[in-house]
Structure formats: C-alpha cells, structure tokens
C-alpha cells in the first residue's frame, strides 16, 4: 500500500473515438491497478474519475466512494464517449469542479496534494497551455501520460515541472499495465516536500531523504535558501536599449516607443517613415513624425484646411506686417496703404493722422471657452490695432474695455487711461475668463454702466458720439434683441464683429443701420486684419471734436458735402444737356418744314 500520506487524485481519461474498445479496457486496468495500491478512505487518499472527448463526464467525484471495490465497479461500468479530444476543456473542469470542496477536495490549508493524472492517446483539439498553467497555479500537480499517438509537445505543455518526472509516453496500450507499476512507484515514493513544512516560496524539489527549493524562471534563490527575488536584467544599465528595456525571466529585450521599430542590432530604434508608404497625398512635402505624418508647403505657400494642398501665402495674414491701416499682399511680399486723404509715413507703415472727430468707444469682447487662450491673445492684438487708429486723450477719444463669458467684467472704464500706450498695455494684461457666452448680459452692462458719466462717458449735451463694438465667436446663450435695441435707442452706434462660429443673425441684430456698414465677419482668428480696415472706414463720426466747429477734409461731413456738391453739378449738367437736346429737336423739325415747302413750290 502507498502510505506516504493522504492525496486527492483525479483520473482524467481520454475516451475519444481514436481509442478503440480493447484499448480503453487497458486504460480501465491501469486505473484499477493504481487504485489497488492506494490507501483509500475519507481521511486517507480520495479518488475521482472523469472521462472526456468532445464533452466532459464525471464518473465519480472525490466524495463519492471510499472503498476500492466501489471504485472498481464504477470504472468497469464506464461507457466511452467516442467523440473528439477536448483536453483543455477537461483540465478546465478539473480545476473549476473536480477539485472543489463541493466535490470532496480537502481545503488548501490542510496541504493535501491535489494530483490530476491525464491519460490521452492523441493531440488535443483545443488549447491546453493556458488552462494547464492556471490549474498548476491553483495548486494542482499534473501528470501527463501519453499513449501511442500522443503529442509530446502537448504533454509537456500540460504537465507540472520538473517535466522529466511528470511527462510519460507509453509506446502502446499493451505496455500501459507495465508502465502502471513504474508510475505507482513514482506516485508513492516518499516525498519530503509533502512530509514536512519545506517553506519554499516557489517550488520544492524532493531528493532521497531531503529536499531543496527552486525559484520560477526569472527569479533567483535568496541566501535563506527558500525565498525568491526577481532578476531584473535591465537594472544594471548595461542593456544598451535606446528606448525601453523589458525584463523577461532573467533576461531582457529592447522595445521602442510607438512610431518606431527595433533595428537589426535589437537595441536601437528607428522612426517609421510613414511618408515612404506613398499614400500621403501631400501636394508639396510630406514630413514623418512618430505615429503618422503631416504635409508641409514650400516657402510662400499656406497649407489648406484639407491638410494636403497648398496655396500661395497672403503675407498680410501670415506676418506681423505692422501696417497701421491696410496691408496689400503681392507675390512673395507686401506693402502698406493709407486711407484716401492720408499719406504713408517714412516708416512705410504708419499714416498721417486724420483730424477726425473724437468718440467715446467701448469694446465688448467675448471671453468664452470656445475662443481658446491662443485666439484670445489674437483678439487682444485686434483691440490694440483699433486703438492705434485713434487719437486717445482726455479731451479726445476715450476707450473702455469689457470682457464677458457667463458673467461680465469691466476691464477698464472710459476714464481710466489717457493715452494709447496705457490702453494697449492694459489690454495685453487682460486675463482670459473662459466659460459661457452671455452676450445679452454684456450688452445690458454696456448700456447701464459702461456709457455712464460715472465711468467716464461725456454728457450727451457735449455731442460726443458713443460707439459700442461687440466682438464674439459664437451663438449667445441668452437673448440679445432687447438690449441691442435699447443700446441703439440710447444713441449708441453699434458695431458687431464676428469670427468663426458667430451667428450672422445675431450680428445683424446688434449692428446699427445701415447694417452692412456696421457688422463684419472673419472665418478665422488669424485672418482678422480686414476687420480692422472695415472698422476704420466706418467709425468716422458725424460730428467733429464735440462742440468745436472745425471742419477737416478727412471728416465724414466734409466728404458728404463734397459728394453732395458733385452730384448737384452733375445734375445741372444733365439738365443743360436735356435743354440742348430739346432745342436741337425743335430746329430739326423746322428744317424739315422748310424742305417740304420748297418741294411743294417746285
């Protein structure tokens, strides 16, 4: 009898169609012979048997029988399934069902070995490596017994280490009984790892009268001879990997970051040249980057929204040209222009100041999160470009600034700063608010506060034009109609400037009449130069410098007067031409009468 201690043993028998009836009988005999030499009982060794083919059948579990006679009768009554060979499915059943407490397995804390003996004659029709690893990790010791046609690689994938003690290949079914005696000796030998508390962290290996501990691959045994530490082959820094070193079971391998591949030396990393694939469709140049590519245009061209095609660059929108009024692009260059009546200065950028009338100007800018920080900086530059057009002084033009999002904030009132430089510095110091787009609330704030005398607006009796400029990039989250109407009714000339997703209907509702002269739109923040030009052409007030009756050729009223006089002269000339035409017609008629009279006399 085998008296090395109690065991929980489950036989896993292949009964596929490749096992012929007489061959299956030898497998019965193999199980009966081994059981016959075991000390079976509820407190000794317990035995279970399952058979499998395309499915798994439980013949009896670990708790069903506790006498060899009962077990032998059950084994002799097995009817083979005679189907496929789903060995992996059988191992899964062993792990999830056969070795559970419900089926009679003793709890792990009792440290009773759990042994599965798999007997098969062919190659599995499913995967066994992963499920066998899980079973071994769950504490099941697997013996793999192959007969005749069995696949050795599959046996090795299933069995527990060391493989030379757990993998057996029998040449024929006729020899299985002889092998059974050898296997019984292997199974019943004194196992010192079982007989005493070995304390091995990973694996215990029995030797005659003793044992020693082993570590799993990739670990080293510590000085105590029992515990194990992982081997980090990357830790010494001598691996030479350009990007990443990955430890693998006592060795290592080099890996590259995404967008690179490992070179032939298995250490250096080479960036993948996505442009070389030939499918980039770039009009000019393709530039490879990790994980992709992008298209680039040659100097003097701009990449279009499709990210592939190129168009000649409008340098006025691509560089900081510095033109005070208008920038005109030419091929590969640009030049500055001034409004009619003004001269370009020697610096080639600024214009002689037009003695235009002074105004109270409040600019209301959108600081919602859709604008984004980088575009908000462009908005501040836009504001300062407008300031450059104005003659800022306490008695001249005054400028105030309001920012809004979900709330409204006065950045500085009309009476805060008295020079263009002060205003421009204050504008660049403005902090981006983010959040929502409450344009209606901003208009209300402008009407009720920004144009109040308390915040620097001059009395209406001084006849100083009040101008409000609203800058937005999207749809308002509140109603704008009421306060847009009130602003215009209170005498404020309203300009609306929209960019990107601004709604034209809202811009027109804000703008004063004629609407076409009081609202502007740009599709992109980077192309807002023309908006400054439009604003400078339309901002000229109806009056001069307050109550002072000084007229300048640059003033709107003077221009209107010139236009009126010109039209009157043209109308006078037209009337004279009409009179001349009538006189000519009368003379022609009289000549025709004289000709008729002469003809009648003849």
């Amino acid at each position: 009898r085998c008296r090395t201690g109690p065991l929980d043993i489950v036989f896993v028998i292949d009964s596929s169609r490749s096992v012929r009836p007489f061959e299956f009988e030898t497998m019965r005999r193999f199980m009966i012979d081994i059981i016959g030499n075991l000390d079976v009982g509820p407190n000794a060794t317990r035995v279970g048997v399952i058979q499998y083919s395309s499915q798994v059948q439980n013949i009896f579990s670990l708790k069903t029988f506790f006498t060899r006679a009962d077990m032998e009768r059950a084994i002799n009554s097995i009817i083979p399934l005679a189907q496929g060979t789903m060995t992996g499915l059988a191992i899964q059943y062993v792990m999830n069902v056969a070795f559970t407490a419900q089926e009679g397995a003793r709890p792990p804390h009792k440290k009773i070995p759990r042994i599965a003996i798999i007997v098969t004659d062919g190659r599995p029709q499913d995967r066994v490596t992963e499920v066998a690893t899980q079973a071994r990790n769950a504490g099941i010791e697997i013996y793999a017994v192959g007969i005749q046609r069995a696949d050795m690689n599959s046996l090795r994938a299933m069995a527990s280490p060391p493989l030379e003690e757990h993998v057996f290949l029998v040449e024929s079914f006729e020899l299985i009984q002889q092998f059974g005696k050898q296997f019984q000796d292997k199974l019943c030998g004194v196992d010192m790892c079982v007989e005493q508390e070995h304390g091995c962290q990973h694996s215990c290996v029995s030797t005659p009268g003793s044992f020693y501990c082993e570590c799993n691959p990739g670990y080293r045994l510590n000085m105590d001879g029992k515990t194990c530490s992982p081997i980090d082959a990357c830790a010494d820094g001598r691996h030479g990997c350009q990007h990443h070193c990955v430890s693998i079971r006592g060795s290592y391998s080099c890996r590259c970051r995404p967008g690179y591949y490992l070179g032939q030396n298995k250490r250096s990393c080479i960036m993948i040249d996505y442009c070389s694939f030939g499918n980039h469709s770039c009009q000019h140049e393709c530039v490879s980057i990790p994980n992709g590519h992008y298209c680039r245009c040659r100097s003097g061209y701009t990449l279009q929204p499709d990210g592939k095609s190129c168009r000649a660059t409008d340098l006025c929108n691509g560089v900081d040209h510095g033109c005070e009024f208008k920038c005109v692009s030419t091929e590969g260059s640009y030049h500055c222009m001034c409004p009619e009546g003004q001269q370009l200065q020697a610096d080639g950028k600024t214009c002689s100041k037009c003695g235009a009338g002074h105004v109270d100007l409040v600019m209301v800018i959108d600081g919602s999160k859709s604008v984004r920080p980088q575009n908000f900086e462009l908005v501040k530059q836009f504001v300062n470009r407008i300031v450059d057009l104005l003659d800022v002084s306490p008695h001249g033009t005054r400028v105030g600034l309001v920012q809004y999002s979900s709330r409204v904030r006065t950045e500085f009132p009309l009476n805060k700063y008295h020079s263009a430089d002060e205003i421009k510095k204050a504008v660049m110091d403005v902090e981006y608010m983010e959040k929502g787009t409450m344009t209606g609330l901003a208009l209300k704030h402008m009407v009720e506060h920004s144009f109040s005398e308390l915040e620097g607006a001059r009395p209406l009796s001084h006849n100083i034009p009040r101008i409000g400029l609203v800058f937005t990039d999207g749809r308002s989250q509140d109603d704008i109609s009421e306060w847009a109407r009130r602003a215009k009714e209170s005498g404020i000339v309203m300009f609306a400037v929209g960019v990107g997703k601004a709604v034209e209907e809202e811009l027109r509702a804000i703008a004063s009449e004629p609407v076409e002269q009081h609202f502007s739109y740009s599709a992109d923040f980077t192309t807002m130069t023309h908006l400054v030009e439009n604003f400078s052409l339309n901002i000229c007030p109806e009056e001069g410098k307050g109550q002072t009756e000084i007229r300048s050729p640059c003033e709107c009223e003077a221009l209107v007067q010139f236009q009126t006089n010109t039209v009157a002269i043209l109308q006078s000339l037209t009337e004279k031409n009409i009179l001349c035409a009538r006189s000519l017609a009368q003379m022609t008629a009289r000549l025709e009468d004289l000709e008729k009279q002469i003809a009648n006399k003849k």
Side-chain angles (χ1 to χ4, degrees):
R1 295 286 184 265
C2 184
R3 299 185 181 277
T4 58
L7 306 171
D8 284 347
I9 299 177
V10 175
F11 287 91
V12 184
I13 304 302
D14 179 358
S15 65
S16 59
R17 66 173 63 91
S18 62
V19 180
R20 288 167 286 189
F22 76 92
E23 294 174 338
F24 191 83
E25 293 303 317
T26 62
M27 294 172 70
R28 290 187 210 266
R29 194 73 259 160
F30 169 76
M31 289 187 287
I32 291 172
D33 288 346
I34 291 179
I35 292 172
N37 287 283
L38 296 175
D39 183 16
V40 298
N43 298 317
T45 294
R46 299 183 183 182
V47 178
V49 176
I50 66 172
Q51 69 165 335
Y52 73 95
S53 60
S54 297
Q55 57 186 335
V56 180
Q57 182 184 29
N58 182 38
I59 304 303
F60 57 86
S61 63
L62 293 170
K63 66 179 181 180
T64 306
F65 303 123
F66 296 109
T67 66
R68 287 186 293 277
D70 290 337
M71 295 177 186
E72 184 174 346
R73 279 193 294 271
I75 291 172
N76 284 326
S77 65
I78 298 174
I79 299 175
L81 297 173
Q83 296 173 353
T85 310
M86 304 296 284
T87 310
L89 181 65
I91 297 173
Q92 188 79 43
Y93 182 92
V94 168
M95 179 174 60
N96 294 339
V97 180
F99 281 115
T100 61
Q102 292 83 350
E103 293 296 307
R106 264 76 63 96
H109 71 269
K110 291 190 176 182
K111 298 184 179 180
I112 295 176
R114 295 180 174 183
I115 298 174
I117 302 172
I118 302 173
V119 184
T120 180
D121 81 322
R123 183 190 299 273
Q125 294 176 338
D126 57 356
R127 296 181 178 180
V128 298
T129 303
E130 183 177 351
V131 69
T133 301
Q134 293 173 357
R136 295 193 300 269
N137 291 339
I140 301 172
E141 185 177 6
I142 300 177
Y143 286 84
V145 180
I147 303 174
Q148 199 168 311
R149 297 173 294 271
D151 177 54
M152 177 57 78
N153 290 332
S154 299
L155 298 177
R156 294 173 66 87
M158 293 186 286
S160 296
L163 297 180
E164 60 269 20
E165 295 182 15
H166 291 81
V167 176
F168 304 96
L169 184 61
V170 183
E171 294 180 359
S172 66
F173 282 87
E174 290 79 9
L175 298 175
I176 194 169
Q177 284 183 279
Q178 180 181 349
F179 162 75
K181 296 176 182 179
Q182 299 174 0
F183 183 81
Q184 177 181 313
D185 294 337
K186 180 75 68 175
L187 187 65
C188 295
V190 176
D191 190 344
M192 298 299 293
C193 292
V194 175
E195 291 295 314
Q196 63 186 59
E197 184 67 34
H198 55 77
C200 297
Q201 183 180 355
H202 284 183
S203 303
C204 175
V205 180
S206 291
T207 60
S210 185
F211 69 92
Y212 63 90
C213 297
E214 280 189 347
C215 296
N216 295 338
Y219 292 81
R220 64 166 62 92
L221 195 65
N222 294 328
M223 294 296 293
D224 61 7
K226 294 184 178 183
T227 60
C228 301
S229 298
I231 299 172
D232 186 356
C234 297
D236 59 12
R238 294 181 295 177
H239 50 78
C241 298
Q242 183 177 351
H243 286 181
H244 303 300
C245 176
V246 181
S247 291
I248 304 174
R249 295 184 179 180
S251 184
Y252 71 90
S253 66
C254 296
R255 292 183 185 174
C256 297
R257 293 192 294 268
Y260 294 80
Y261 64 91
L262 202 61
Q264 291 185 350
N265 61 4
K266 302 301 180 183
R267 288 179 173 82
S268 60
C269 295
I270 304 169
M271 189 174 73
I272 299 171
D273 185 5
Y274 290 94
C275 294
S276 65
F277 298 165
N279 58 353
H280 53 76
S281 302
C282 297
Q283 184 177 351
H284 284 183
E285 300 172 5
C286 175
V287 180
S288 287
I289 57 175
N291 293 327
H293 73 280
Y294 68 90
C295 296
R296 182 172 63 192
C297 296
R298 294 189 293 271
S299 178
Y301 290 83
T302 303
L303 193 64
Q304 297 304 292
D306 63 3
K308 297 178 180 179
S309 57
C310 300
R311 182 179 296 174
T313 301
D314 181 358
L315 290 178
C316 289
N317 288 324
V319 298
D320 184 12
H321 52 75
C323 297
E324 180 179 344
F325 175 67
K326 185 176 182 179
C327 175
V328 178
S329 288
T330 57
E331 187 173 353
S333 184
Y334 68 91
H335 65 270
C336 299
M337 288 184 61
C338 292
E340 185 177 355
Q342 296 187 37
Q343 296 295 320
L344 191 66
Q345 299 298 293
D347 61 5
K349 296 182 179 182
T350 59
C351 301
S352 58
K353 292 291 182 182
C354 173
H358 299 147
V359 299
D360 286 345
L361 170 64
V362 174
M363 288 181 276
V364 183
I365 59 174
D366 184 348
S368 61
K369 65 179 179 181
S370 61
V371 174
R372 300 185 181 277
Q374 64 271 27
N375 291 330
F376 190 72
E377 294 302 311
L378 296 177
V379 173
K380 293 195 289 187
Q381 294 176 22
F382 170 82
V383 170
N384 281 346
R385 292 289 301 282
I386 293 175
V387 174
D388 284 336
L389 299 173
L390 306 174
D391 182 15
V392 179
S393 68
H395 302 291
T397 292
R398 298 181 182 180
V399 178
L401 182 65
V402 173
Q403 183 185 177
Y404 73 95
S405 57
S406 299
R407 55 190 178 88
V408 184
R409 182 173 71 203
T410 298
E411 300 296 350
F412 52 84
L414 289 166
N415 57 4
K416 177 74 172 178
Y417 301 111
H418 306 302
S419 71
D421 289 340
E422 289 180 310
I423 292 173
K424 289 167 67 176
K425 183 179 183 303
V427 169
M428 296 312 295
D429 290 339
V430 169
E431 294 184 357
Y432 179 35
M433 294 175 70
E434 299 192 53
K435 298 190 178 178
T437 311
M438 303 294 283
T439 311
L441 183 64
L443 290 170
K444 180 177 184 291
H445 179 90
M446 181 193 72
V447 173
E448 293 183 341
H449 301 285
S450 301
F451 282 108
S452 67
E453 293 184 27
L454 182 65
E455 294 201 2
R458 285 163 284 196
L460 293 173
S461 60
H462 287 192
N463 201 27
I464 301 295
R466 295 181 173 183
I467 296 179
L469 187 151
V470 177
F471 182 99
T472 182
D473 85 320
R475 182 183 295 276
S476 177
Q477 295 173 339
D478 60 352
D479 180 60
I480 65 165
S481 57
E482 178 182 357
W483 286 100
R485 175 179 55 78
R486 288 197 188 186
K488 289 177 278 192
E489 289 177 352
S490 66
I492 303 172
V493 179
M494 295 298 298
F495 286 82
V497 178
V499 176
K501 296 182 180 179
V503 180
E504 182 177 349
E505 180 183 353
E506 293 185 354
L507 298 176
R508 289 180 174 274
I510 294 171
S512 294
E513 295 288 344
V515 172
E516 298 302 330
Q517 294 181 14
H518 291 82
F519 101 95
S520 301
Y521 173 79
S522 177
D524 192 282
F525 281 90
T526 60
T527 59
M528 296 191 296
T529 304
H530 71 281
L531 301 185
V532 179
E533 298 166 2
N534 293 347
F535 184 72
S536 67
L537 290 172
N538 293 302
I539 197 174
C540 188
E542 296 178 355
E543 297 294 334
K545 297 181 180 180
Q547 297 173 332
T548 307
E549 293 294 324
I550 299 175
R551 297 182 180 272
S552 167
C554 296
E555 292 186 34
C556 287
E557 188 171 340
L559 294 174
V560 172
Q561 186 63 50
F562 171 78
Q563 183 180 9
T564 303
N565 293 340
T566 304
V567 171
I569 292 170
L570 290 173
Q571 288 178 343
S572 176
L573 290 173
T574 301
E575 290 174 358
K576 289 180 181 179
N577 288 336
I578 292 173
L579 291 174
C580 289
R582 288 177 179 172
S583 298
L584 182 61
Q586 291 174 355
M587 291 177 65
T588 303
R590 291 181 63 185
L591 287 172
E592 289 177 352
D593 289 341
L594 288 172
E595 289 177 352
K596 288 179 181 179
Q597 292 176 11
I598 293 171
N600 291 333
K601 289 180 179 180
K602 290 180 179 181

